[in-house]
Coordinates of all heavy atoms in Angstrom, one line a residue:
A1 N 51.9 110.9 70.6 CA 50.8 110.0 70.8 C 50.6 109.8 72.3 O 51.6 109.8 73.1 CB 51.1 108.6 70.1
Q2 N 49.4 109.6 72.7 CA 49.0 109.3 74.1 C 48.2 108.1 74.1 O 47.3 107.9 73.2 CB 48.2 110.4 74.6 CG 48.9 111.8 74.6 CD 47.9 112.9 75.0 OE1 47.1 112.7 76.0 NE2 47.8 114.0 74.3
Y3 N 48.4 107.2 75.1 CA 47.6 106.0 75.2 C 47.0 105.9 76.6 O 47.7 106.2 77.6 CB 48.4 104.7 74.9 CG 47.6 103.5 75.2 CD1 46.6 103.1 74.3 CD2 47.8 102.7 76.3 CE1 45.9 101.9 74.5 CE2 47.0 101.6 76.6 CZ 46.1 101.2 75.7 OH 45.3 100.1 75.9
Q4 N 45.7 105.6 76.7 CA 45.1 105.4 77.9 C 44.5 104.0 77.9 O 43.7 103.7 77.0 CB 43.9 106.4 78.1 CG 43.1 106.1 79.3 CD 43.8 106.2 80.7 OE1 44.4 107.2 81.0 NE2 43.7 105.2 81.5
S5 N 44.9 103.1 78.9 CA 44.3 101.8 78.9 C 42.8 101.9 79.5 O 42.4 103.0 79.9 CB 45.1 100.9 79.8 OG 45.1 101.4 81.1
S6 N 42.1 100.8 79.4 CA 40.7 100.9 79.8 C 40.6 101.2 81.3 O 41.5 100.8 82.1 CB 40.0 99.6 79.5 OG 40.6 98.5 80.2
F7 N 39.5 101.8 81.8 CA 39.3 102.0 83.2 C 37.8 102.0 83.4 O 37.0 102.1 82.5 CB 40.0 103.4 83.6 CG 39.5 104.6 82.9 CD1 38.6 105.4 83.4 CD2 40.1 104.9 81.7 CE1 38.2 106.6 82.8 CE2 39.7 106.1 81.0 CZ 38.7 106.9 81.6
Y8 N 37.5 101.9 84.7 CA 36.1 101.8 85.1 C 35.8 102.5 86.4 O 36.7 102.8 87.2 CB 35.6 100.4 85.1 CG 36.3 99.6 86.2 CD1 35.7 99.4 87.5 CD2 37.5 98.9 86.0 CE1 36.3 98.7 88.5 CE2 38.1 98.1 86.9 CZ 37.5 98.1 88.2 OH 38.1 97.3 89.2
F9 N 34.5 102.7 86.7 CA 34.1 103.3 88.0 C 32.9 102.5 88.5 O 32.0 102.2 87.7 CB 33.7 104.7 87.8 CG 33.1 105.4 89.0 CD1 33.9 105.7 90.1 CD2 31.8 105.8 89.0 CE1 33.4 106.3 91.2 CE2 31.3 106.4 90.1 CZ 32.1 106.7 91.2
E10 N 32.9 102.0 89.7 CA 31.8 101.3 90.4 C 31.4 102.1 91.6 O 32.1 102.0 92.7 CB 32.2 99.9 90.7 CG 32.4 99.0 89.5 CD 32.8 97.6 89.9 OE1 33.2 97.3 91.1 OE2 32.7 96.7 89.1
P11 N 30.3 102.9 91.5 CA 29.9 103.6 92.7 C 29.4 102.7 93.8 O 28.7 101.7 93.6 CB 28.8 104.5 92.2 CG 28.5 104.0 90.8 CD 29.5 103.1 90.4
D12 N 29.8 103.0 95.0 CA 29.4 102.2 96.2 C 27.9 102.2 96.4 O 27.3 103.2 96.3 CB 30.1 102.7 97.5 CG 31.6 102.5 97.5 OD1 32.0 101.5 96.9 OD2 32.3 103.2 98.2
G13 N 27.4 101.0 96.5 CA 26.0 100.8 96.8 C 25.0 101.1 95.6 O 23.8 100.9 95.8
A14 N 25.5 101.4 94.4 CA 24.7 101.7 93.3 C 24.4 100.3 92.5 O 25.4 99.7 92.1 CB 25.3 102.7 92.4
V15 N 23.2 100.0 92.4 CA 22.8 98.7 91.7 C 21.7 99.0 90.7 O 21.0 100.0 90.8 CB 22.3 97.7 92.7 CG1 23.4 97.2 93.6 CG2 21.1 98.1 93.5
S16 N 21.7 98.1 89.7 CA 20.7 98.3 88.6 C 19.4 97.7 89.1 O 19.3 97.1 90.2 CB 21.1 97.5 87.4 OG 21.2 96.1 87.6
T17 N 18.3 97.8 88.3 CA 17.0 97.2 88.7 C 17.1 95.7 88.9 O 16.2 95.2 89.6 CB 15.9 97.6 87.7 OG1 16.3 97.2 86.4 CG2 15.7 99.1 87.7
S18 N 18.0 95.1 88.2 CA 18.2 93.6 88.4 C 19.0 93.3 89.6 O 19.2 92.1 89.9 CB 18.8 93.0 87.1 OG 20.1 93.5 87.0
G19 N 19.5 94.3 90.4 CA 20.3 94.0 91.6 C 21.8 93.9 91.3 O 22.5 93.7 92.3
E20 N 22.2 94.1 90.1 CA 23.7 94.0 89.8 C 24.4 95.3 90.1 O 23.8 96.4 89.9 CB 23.9 93.5 88.4 CG 23.4 92.1 88.1 CD 23.6 91.7 86.6 OE1 24.6 92.2 86.0 OE2 22.8 91.0 86.1
Q21 N 25.6 95.2 90.5 CA 26.5 96.4 90.7 C 26.6 97.2 89.4 O 26.8 96.6 88.4 CB 27.9 96.0 91.2 CG 28.9 97.1 91.3 CD 28.7 98.0 92.4 OE1 28.3 97.6 93.5 NE2 28.9 99.3 92.2
I22 N 26.4 98.5 89.5 CA 26.6 99.3 88.3 C 28.1 99.6 88.0 O 28.8 99.9 89.0 CB 25.8 100.7 88.5 CG1 24.3 100.4 88.5 CG2 26.2 101.7 87.4 CD1 23.5 101.7 88.7
R23 N 28.5 99.4 86.8 CA 29.9 99.7 86.4 C 29.9 100.5 85.2 O 29.3 100.1 84.1 CB 30.5 98.3 86.2 CG 32.0 98.4 85.8 CD 32.6 97.0 85.7 NE 34.0 97.1 85.4 CZ 34.9 96.3 85.9 NH1 34.5 95.2 86.6 NH2 36.2 96.4 85.6
I24 N 30.6 101.6 85.2 CA 30.7 102.5 84.1 C 32.1 102.3 83.5 O 33.1 102.4 84.3 CB 30.5 104.0 84.5 CG1 29.2 104.2 85.2 CG2 30.7 104.9 83.3 CD1 29.0 105.5 85.9
E25 N 32.2 102.0 82.2 CA 33.5 101.6 81.7 C 33.9 102.5 80.5 O 33.1 103.0 79.8 CB 33.5 100.2 81.2 CG 33.3 99.2 82.3 CD 33.3 97.7 81.8 OE1 34.3 97.4 81.1 OE2 32.3 97.0 82.0
Q26 N 35.2 102.7 80.3 CA 35.8 103.3 79.1 C 36.9 102.4 78.6 O 37.8 102.1 79.4 CB 36.4 104.7 79.5 CG 37.3 105.3 78.4 CD 36.6 105.6 77.1 OE1 35.6 106.4 77.1 NE2 37.0 105.0 76.0
G27 N 36.8 102.0 77.4 CA 37.8 101.1 76.8 C 39.1 101.9 76.5 O 39.1 103.1 76.6
G28 N 40.2 101.2 76.3 CA 41.4 101.9 76.0 C 41.3 102.7 74.7 O 40.6 102.3 73.8
Y29 N 42.2 103.7 74.6 CA 42.2 104.5 73.4 C 43.5 105.2 73.2 O 44.3 105.3 74.2 CB 41.0 105.6 73.4 CG 41.1 106.6 74.6 CD1 41.9 107.7 74.5 CD2 40.5 106.3 75.8 CE1 41.9 108.6 75.5 CE2 40.5 107.2 76.8 CZ 41.3 108.3 76.7 OH 41.3 109.2 77.8
A30 N 43.8 105.6 72.0 CA 45.0 106.4 71.7 C 44.7 107.7 71.0 O 43.7 107.7 70.2 CB 46.0 105.5 70.8
L31 N 45.4 108.7 71.4 CA 45.2 110.0 70.7 C 46.5 110.4 70.0 O 47.6 110.2 70.5 CB 44.9 111.1 71.8 CG 43.7 110.9 72.6 CD1 43.6 112.0 73.7 CD2 42.5 110.8 71.8
I32 N 46.4 110.9 68.8 CA 47.5 111.3 68.0 C 47.5 112.8 67.7 O 46.4 113.3 67.2 CB 47.6 110.5 66.7 CG1 47.7 109.0 67.0 CG2 48.8 110.9 65.9 CD1 47.6 108.1 65.9
D33 N 48.5 113.5 68.0 CA 48.6 115.0 67.7 C 49.8 115.2 66.7 O 50.8 114.4 66.8 CB 48.9 115.8 69.0 CG 47.8 115.6 70.1 OD1 46.7 115.2 69.7 OD2 48.1 115.9 71.2
L34 N 49.7 116.2 65.9 CA 50.7 116.5 64.9 C 51.0 118.0 64.9 O 50.1 118.8 65.2 CB 50.3 116.1 63.5 CG 50.1 114.6 63.2 CD1 49.6 114.4 61.8 CD2 51.4 113.8 63.4
M35 N 52.2 118.3 64.6 CA 52.6 119.7 64.5 C 53.6 119.9 63.3 O 54.5 119.0 63.1 CB 53.3 120.2 65.8 CG 53.7 121.6 65.8 SD 55.4 121.9 65.2 CE 55.7 123.5 65.7
A36 N 53.4 120.9 62.5 CA 54.3 121.2 61.4 C 54.6 122.7 61.5 O 53.8 123.5 61.8 CB 53.7 120.8 60.1
R37 N 55.9 123.0 61.1 CA 56.3 124.4 61.1 C 57.1 124.7 59.8 O 57.9 123.8 59.4 CB 57.1 124.8 62.3 CG 57.7 126.2 62.3 CD 58.6 126.4 63.5 NE 59.4 127.6 63.4 CZ 59.2 128.7 64.2 NH1 58.4 128.6 65.1 NH2 60.0 129.7 63.9
Y38 N 56.9 125.8 59.2 CA 57.7 126.2 58.0 C 58.2 127.6 58.2 O 57.3 128.5 58.4 CB 56.8 126.1 56.8 CG 57.6 126.4 55.5 CD1 58.5 125.6 55.0 CD2 57.3 127.6 54.8 CE1 59.2 125.9 53.8 CE2 58.0 127.9 53.7 CZ 59.0 127.1 53.2 OH 59.6 127.4 52.1
D39 N 59.5 127.9 58.1 CA 60.0 129.2 58.2 C 60.0 129.8 56.8 O 60.7 129.4 55.9 CB 61.5 129.2 58.7 CG 61.6 128.7 60.1 OD1 60.6 129.0 60.9 OD2 62.6 128.1 60.5
L40 N 59.2 130.9 56.7 CA 59.1 131.6 55.4 C 60.3 132.5 55.1 O 60.8 132.5 54.0 CB 57.8 132.5 55.4 CG 56.5 131.7 55.4 CD1 55.3 132.7 55.6 CD2 56.3 130.9 54.2
T41 N 60.7 133.1 56.2 CA 61.9 133.9 56.2 C 62.6 133.7 57.5 O 62.1 133.0 58.4 CB 61.6 135.5 56.0 OG1 61.0 136.0 57.1 CG2 60.8 135.7 54.7
E42 N 63.7 134.5 57.8 CA 64.4 134.4 59.1 C 63.5 134.9 60.2 O 63.6 134.5 61.3 CB 65.6 135.2 59.0 CG 66.6 135.0 60.1 CD 67.9 135.8 60.0 OE1 68.5 135.6 58.9 OE2 68.2 136.6 60.9
N43 N 62.5 135.8 59.9 CA 61.7 136.4 60.9 C 60.2 136.0 60.8 O 59.4 136.4 61.7 CB 61.7 137.9 60.8 CG 63.1 138.4 61.1 OD1 63.8 137.9 61.9 ND2 63.5 139.4 60.3
V44 N 59.8 135.2 59.8 CA 58.4 134.9 59.7 C 58.2 133.3 59.5 O 58.9 132.7 58.7 CB 57.7 135.6 58.5 CG1 56.3 135.2 58.3 CG2 57.9 137.1 58.6
A45 N 57.3 132.8 60.3 CA 57.1 131.3 60.3 C 55.6 131.0 60.3 O 54.8 131.7 60.9 CB 57.8 130.6 61.4
L46 N 55.2 129.9 59.7 CA 53.9 129.4 59.8 C 53.9 128.1 60.5 O 54.8 127.3 60.3 CB 53.3 129.1 58.4 CG 53.0 130.4 57.5 CD1 52.7 129.9 56.1 CD2 51.9 131.2 58.1
S47 N 52.9 127.8 61.3 CA 52.8 126.5 62.0 C 51.4 126.0 62.0 O 50.4 126.9 62.0 CB 53.5 126.5 63.4 OG 52.8 127.4 64.2
V48 N 51.2 124.7 62.1 CA 49.9 124.1 62.2 C 50.0 123.0 63.3 O 50.9 122.2 63.3 CB 49.4 123.5 60.9 CG1 48.1 122.8 61.1 CG2 49.3 124.5 59.8
N49 N 49.0 123.1 64.2 CA 48.9 122.0 65.3 C 47.6 121.3 65.1 O 46.5 122.0 65.1 CB 49.0 122.7 66.7 CG 50.3 123.3 67.0 OD1 51.3 122.6 67.0 ND2 50.4 124.6 67.2
A50 N 47.6 120.0 65.0 CA 46.4 119.3 64.9 C 46.3 118.3 66.1 O 47.3 117.6 66.4 CB 46.3 118.5 63.6
R51 N 45.2 118.3 66.9 CA 45.1 117.5 68.0 C 44.0 116.4 67.8 O 43.0 116.8 67.2 CB 44.7 118.3 69.3 CG 45.8 119.3 69.6 CD 45.7 119.9 70.9 NE 46.0 118.8 71.9 CZ 46.0 119.0 73.2 NH1 45.7 120.1 73.7 NH2 46.2 117.9 73.9
N52 N 44.2 115.2 68.3 CA 43.2 114.2 68.1 C 42.8 114.0 66.7 O 41.7 114.0 66.3 CB 42.0 114.4 69.0 CG 41.0 113.2 69.1 OD1 41.4 112.1 68.6 ND2 39.9 113.4 69.6
I53 N 43.8 113.8 65.8 CA 43.6 113.8 64.4 C 42.7 112.7 63.9 O 42.1 112.8 62.8 CB 44.9 113.7 63.6 CG1 45.7 112.5 63.8 CG2 45.8 115.0 63.9 CD1 46.8 112.2 62.9
T54 N 42.5 111.6 64.7 CA 41.6 110.5 64.3 C 40.2 110.8 64.8 O 39.3 110.0 64.5 CB 42.1 109.2 64.8 OG1 42.1 109.2 66.3 CG2 43.4 108.8 64.3
D55 N 40.0 111.9 65.5 CA 38.7 112.3 66.0 C 38.1 111.2 66.9 O 36.9 110.9 66.9 CB 37.8 112.7 64.9 CG 36.7 113.7 65.4 OD1 36.9 114.3 66.5 OD2 35.6 113.8 64.8
A56 N 39.0 110.6 67.7 CA 38.5 109.5 68.6 C 37.5 110.1 69.6 O 37.7 111.2 70.1 CB 39.7 109.0 69.4
R57 N 36.5 109.3 69.9 CA 35.5 109.7 70.9 C 35.7 108.9 72.1 O 35.7 107.7 72.1 CB 34.1 109.4 70.3 CG 33.0 110.0 71.2 CD 31.7 109.9 70.6 NE 30.7 110.4 71.5 CZ 29.5 110.8 71.2 NH1 29.1 110.8 70.0 NH2 28.7 111.2 72.1
Y58 N 36.0 109.6 73.2 CA 36.4 108.9 74.5 C 35.9 109.7 75.7 O 35.7 110.9 75.6 CB 37.9 108.8 74.5 CG 38.6 110.1 74.5 CD1 39.1 110.6 75.7 CD2 38.9 110.8 73.4 CE1 39.7 111.8 75.7 CE2 39.5 112.0 73.4 CZ 40.0 112.5 74.5 OH 40.6 113.7 74.6
L59 N 35.8 109.0 76.8 CA 35.4 109.7 78.1 C 36.7 110.0 78.8 O 37.5 109.1 79.0 CB 34.6 108.8 78.9 CG 33.2 108.5 78.3 CD1 32.5 107.4 79.2 CD2 32.3 109.7 78.3
S60 N 36.9 111.3 79.1 CA 38.1 111.6 79.8 C 37.9 111.6 81.4 O 38.8 111.7 82.1 CB 38.6 113.0 79.4 OG 37.6 114.0 79.7
S61 N 36.6 111.5 81.8 CA 36.3 111.5 83.2 C 35.1 110.6 83.4 O 34.1 110.7 82.7 CB 36.0 112.9 83.7 OG 35.5 112.9 85.0
L62 N 35.1 109.8 84.5 CA 34.0 109.0 84.8 C 33.6 109.2 86.3 O 34.4 109.1 87.2 CB 34.4 107.5 84.7 CG 34.6 106.9 83.3 CD1 35.0 105.4 83.4 CD2 33.5 107.1 82.4
T63 N 32.4 109.6 86.5 CA 31.8 109.6 87.8 C 30.4 109.1 87.7 O 29.9 108.9 86.6 CB 31.8 111.1 88.4 OG1 30.8 111.8 87.6 CG2 33.1 111.7 88.3
F64 N 29.7 108.9 88.9 CA 28.4 108.3 88.8 C 27.4 109.3 88.3 O 26.5 108.9 87.5 CB 28.0 107.9 90.3 CG 26.6 107.2 90.3 CD1 26.4 106.0 89.6 CD2 25.6 107.8 91.0 CE1 25.2 105.4 89.6 CE2 24.4 107.1 91.0 CZ 24.2 106.0 90.3
T65 N 27.5 110.5 88.6 CA 26.5 111.5 88.1 C 26.9 112.2 86.8 O 26.0 112.7 86.1 CB 26.3 112.6 89.2 OG1 27.5 113.2 89.5 CG2 25.7 112.0 90.5
Q66 N 28.1 112.3 86.5 CA 28.6 112.9 85.2 C 29.8 112.3 84.7 O 30.7 111.9 85.4 CB 28.9 114.4 85.5 CG 27.7 115.2 86.0 CD 28.1 116.7 86.3 OE1 29.3 117.0 86.3 NE2 27.2 117.5 86.5
S67 N 29.8 112.2 83.3 CA 31.0 111.8 82.6 C 31.3 112.8 81.5 O 30.3 113.3 81.0 CB 30.9 110.4 82.1 OG 30.7 109.4 83.1
Y68 N 32.5 113.0 81.2 CA 32.8 114.0 80.2 C 33.6 113.4 79.0 O 34.5 112.7 79.2 CB 33.7 115.1 80.8 CG 33.1 115.8 82.0 CD1 33.4 115.5 83.3 CD2 32.1 116.8 81.8 CE1 32.7 116.1 84.4 CE2 31.5 117.5 82.8 CZ 31.8 117.1 84.1 OH 31.2 117.7 85.2
Y69 N 33.1 113.8 77.8 CA 33.9 113.4 76.6 C 35.1 114.3 76.5 O 35.1 115.5 76.8 CB 33.0 113.5 75.4 CG 32.0 112.4 75.2 CD1 30.6 112.6 75.5 CD2 32.4 111.2 74.8 CE1 29.8 111.5 75.4 CE2 31.6 110.1 74.7 CZ 30.2 110.3 75.0 OH 29.4 109.2 74.9
G70 N 36.1 113.7 75.9 CA 37.4 114.4 75.7 C 37.2 115.3 74.4 O 36.2 115.2 73.7
A71 N 38.1 116.2 74.2 CA 38.0 117.2 73.1 C 38.1 116.5 71.8 O 38.8 115.5 71.6 CB 39.2 118.2 73.2
P72 N 37.2 116.9 70.8 CA 37.3 116.4 69.5 C 38.5 116.9 68.7 O 39.3 117.7 69.2 CB 36.0 116.9 68.9 CG 35.7 118.2 69.6 CD 36.2 118.0 71.0
R73 N 38.6 116.5 67.5 CA 39.7 117.0 66.6 C 39.7 118.5 66.6 O 38.6 119.1 66.5 CB 39.5 116.4 65.2 CG 40.6 116.9 64.2 CD 40.3 116.5 62.8 NE 40.1 115.1 62.7 CZ 39.0 114.6 62.0 NH1 38.2 115.4 61.4 NH2 38.8 113.3 62.0
S74 N 40.9 119.1 66.6 CA 41.0 120.5 66.5 C 42.3 120.8 65.7 O 43.2 120.1 65.8 CB 41.0 121.2 67.8 OG 42.1 120.8 68.6
V75 N 42.2 122.0 65.0 CA 43.4 122.4 64.2 C 43.6 123.9 64.5 O 42.6 124.7 64.5 CB 43.1 122.2 62.7 CG1 44.3 122.7 61.9 CG2 42.9 120.7 62.4
L76 N 44.8 124.3 64.7 CA 45.2 125.6 65.0 C 46.3 126.0 64.1 O 47.4 125.4 64.0 CB 45.6 125.8 66.5 CG 46.2 127.1 66.9 CD1 45.1 128.2 66.9 CD2 46.9 127.0 68.3
G77 N 46.2 127.2 63.4 CA 47.2 127.7 62.6 C 47.8 128.9 63.2 O 47.1 129.7 63.8
T78 N 49.1 129.1 63.1 CA 49.8 130.3 63.7 C 50.8 130.9 62.7 O 51.5 130.2 62.0 CB 50.6 129.8 64.9 OG1 49.7 129.1 65.8 CG2 51.2 131.0 65.7
L79 N 50.7 132.2 62.7 CA 51.7 133.0 61.9 C 52.6 133.7 63.0 O 52.1 134.5 63.8 CB 51.1 134.0 61.0 CG 52.0 135.0 60.3 CD1 52.9 134.3 59.3 CD2 51.2 136.1 59.6
S80 N 53.9 133.4 63.0 CA 54.8 134.1 64.0 C 55.7 135.0 63.3 O 56.3 134.8 62.2 CB 55.7 133.0 64.6 OG 54.9 132.0 65.3
V81 N 55.9 136.2 63.9 CA 56.7 137.3 63.3 C 57.7 137.7 64.4 O 57.2 138.1 65.5 CB 55.9 138.5 62.8 CG1 56.8 139.5 62.3 CG2 54.9 138.0 61.8
K82 N 59.0 137.7 64.2 CA 60.0 138.2 65.1 C 60.5 139.5 64.6 O 60.7 139.7 63.4 CB 61.2 137.2 65.2 CG 60.9 135.9 65.8 CD 62.2 135.2 66.0 CE 62.3 134.1 65.0 NZ 63.5 133.3 65.2
Y83 N 60.6 140.5 65.5 CA 61.1 141.8 65.1 C 62.0 142.4 66.1 O 62.2 141.9 67.2 CB 60.0 142.8 64.7 CG 59.0 143.0 65.9 CD1 59.2 144.0 66.8 CD2 57.9 142.1 66.0 CE1 58.2 144.2 67.8 CE2 57.0 142.3 67.1 CZ 57.2 143.3 67.9 OH 56.3 143.5 68.9

């Protein structure tokens, strides 16, 4: 699990039409990742990795001109073979 407390960005000199300082905010959020692995044989294994399983929507970067959303839920399956 990962936790990010709230954070904000106030660009210097940027004000709204009412004259108030512009403030871009992101509230706190938590991300939960899971991983499971199963050995089918001594040489073959299956694994599944799930990231952001709650599909939390959050900003991972704040700037005045651009802000970026973090990655949505993703799942990756892997078949491993040792020889």
Side-chain angles (χ1 to χ4, degrees):
Q2 303 171 43
Y3 175 74
Q4 172 64 55
S5 61
S6 62
F7 58 98
Y8 65 91
F9 175 68
E10 290 181 344
D12 289 336
V15 293
S16 68
T17 56
S18 65
E20 295 180 31
Q21 172 74 39
I22 292 177
R23 182 178 185 146
I24 304 167
E25 298 182 54
Q26 166 64 59
Y29 60 88
L31 301 176
I32 301 171
D33 301 337
L34 295 176
M35 183 270 194
R37 177 186 165 114
Y38 181 73
D39 293 328
L40 296 171
T41 69
E42 192 175 307
N43 296 322
V44 179
L46 292 173
S47 63
V48 176
N49 292 300
R51 301 195 66 181
N52 189 9
I53 63 169
T54 61
D55 204 21
R57 187 170 176 162
Y58 61 98
L59 294 170
S60 61
S61 171
L62 293 178
T63 67
F64 184 61
T65 58
Q66 296 179 351
S67 295
Y68 299 99
Y69 282 105
R73 177 187 311 130
S74 63
V75 178
L76 172 68
T78 305
L79 173 66
S80 302
V81 179
K82 291 189 258 183
Y83 55 94

